[in-house]
Amino acid sequence: MVIPVHDVNPVRRTPWVTYALIAANVLVFVSTPGIAGSVAGGSDLAQLCHLQAFMDHYAAVPRELIHHQTPRLVPTGETGVGLHGPGCVVRPPSYDKSPPLSVFTAMFLHGSWLHLLGNMLFLLIFGNNVEDRMGHVRYFFFYVVCGYAAGYGFALLNADSGDPLIGASGAIAGVLGAYIVLWPRARVWVLVPFLVFLPLRLPAWLVLGFWFVLQAVYSSGHGVSGAGTVAYAAHVVGFVAGMLLAWPLKPGTPPPPEPRGLLFGRRARPRYTW
């Protein structure tokens, strides 16, 4: 994968919604019970039980979304000792979980710093332009709709799965889909791992198109050992939803600035100002 670091596509107004989404995702992550021990690779049972209870409460579960049934027993966050040794205590839930609402709350949950930072990087680089084109309010609802499309799309393909679905990837995939429709020729600075990280300036259609193709290939089970723990199908559905929703805006979208200079080499490196 190439790593995007900056796009050559200026905006007219401050992307407040994009910034707010990033702040909310980071705040929820650092506030998630038990996430510190999980991220650090700790094996403290109490932290793991707290994390599991929190995820079961707020994460989207395909089986719950499709069949509208919540489990009779859920982790409480407490630890205990059973017939098979120490473990997490399970009881009937003390809360009423709404499966449709869980799709929204799951958009702000992440399982690791790498998961969080990767999502926020893509949102920061590509979300500001999409927000600038749509406007703050419409962009927020666009983001949420893409997240719901990705969540329910994945659930339809995995209707019997009881594994929690978390992350902003589906909604952000919608942002990427909108970007490739609106500015396919915009130049994006990326780092390409080739012995070292080589900076290149590539068109958005190539960067995001390559990303989409990878997600589609991985969602079919090719190129990875099994399906893994990443909901690649949710990325595909979110991307397509973003493309379709952004298509009516394409005719009135101003083109990105024309690229200047070389596309590779020392002179092509981006210049940062403070």
Side-chain angles (χ1 to χ4, degrees):
M1 278 291 293
V2 297
I3 304 173
V5 293
H6 175 64
D7 66 330
V8 187
N9 196 2
V11 296
R12 299 167 298 169
R13 47 190 163 187
T14 304
W16 293 117
V17 175
T18 297
Y19 292 160
L21 289 171
I22 293 174
N25 276 276
V26 173
L27 181 61
V28 170
F29 180 78
V30 298
S31 303
T32 300
I35 197 66
S38 175
V39 171
S43 56
D44 183 85
L45 181 60
Q47 289 184 327
L48 295 179
C49 290
H50 275 95
L51 179 60
Q52 185 177 355
F54 184 84
M55 291 297 179
D56 282 0
H57 188 176
Y58 294 104
V61 178
R63 186 165 55 202
E64 297 175 3
L65 296 178
I66 301 303
H67 302 295
H68 301 284
Q69 295 179 347
T70 54
R72 293 183 297 107
L73 298 175
V74 297
T76 63
E78 303 171 342
T79 60
V81 180
L83 297 177
H84 302 287
C88 300
V89 176
V90 294
R91 292 196 183 102
S94 59
Y95 51 83
D96 293 325
K97 181 179 180 180
S98 169
L101 182 59
S102 70
V103 178
F104 180 78
T105 56
M107 294 182 204
F108 298 90
L109 303 179
H110 292 83
S112 68
W113 277 110
L114 183 61
H115 186 200
L116 173 70
L117 295 178
N119 278 345
M120 295 306 101
L121 175 64
F122 276 80
L123 180 59
L124 178 63
I125 294 174
F126 301 105
N128 60 346
N129 291 102
V130 178
E131 180 179 351
D132 187 46
R133 179 66 182 90
M134 293 184 175
H136 304 308
V137 176
R138 184 162 52 172
Y139 170 72
F140 174 76
F141 284 105
F142 164 82
Y143 180 92
V144 173
V145 168
C146 289
Y148 267 86
Y152 272 97
F154 180 82
L156 286 172
L157 297 173
N158 301 271
D160 295 324
S161 173
D163 297 329
L165 178 65
I166 61 173
S169 305
I172 296 172
V175 173
L176 305 186
Y179 195 101
I180 200 174
V181 165
L182 299 175
W183 299 282
R185 297 183 180 180
R187 296 290 173 170
V188 180
W189 283 102
V190 298
L191 297 178
V192 180
F194 184 75
L195 300 180
V196 295
F197 283 101
L198 181 66
L200 295 177
R201 191 174 63 189
L202 304 174
W205 67 264
L206 180 60
V207 176
L208 300 181
F210 178 65
W211 181 90
F212 176 75
V213 169
L214 280 182
Q215 308 310 302
V217 171
Y218 291 161
S219 67
S220 67
H222 296 86
V224 291
S225 55
T229 58
V230 180
Y232 295 108
H235 302 172
V236 173
V237 175
F239 192 95
V240 173
M243 292 183 67
L244 295 176
L245 292 173
W247 200 268
L249 299 176
K250 183 175 176 59
T253 302
E258 289 294 327
R260 297 178 180 178
L262 301 175
L263 299 185
F264 56 88
R266 185 174 182 180
R267 290 181 57 191
R269 295 177 184 175
R271 298 179 180 179
Y272 300 98
T273 58
W274 295 92

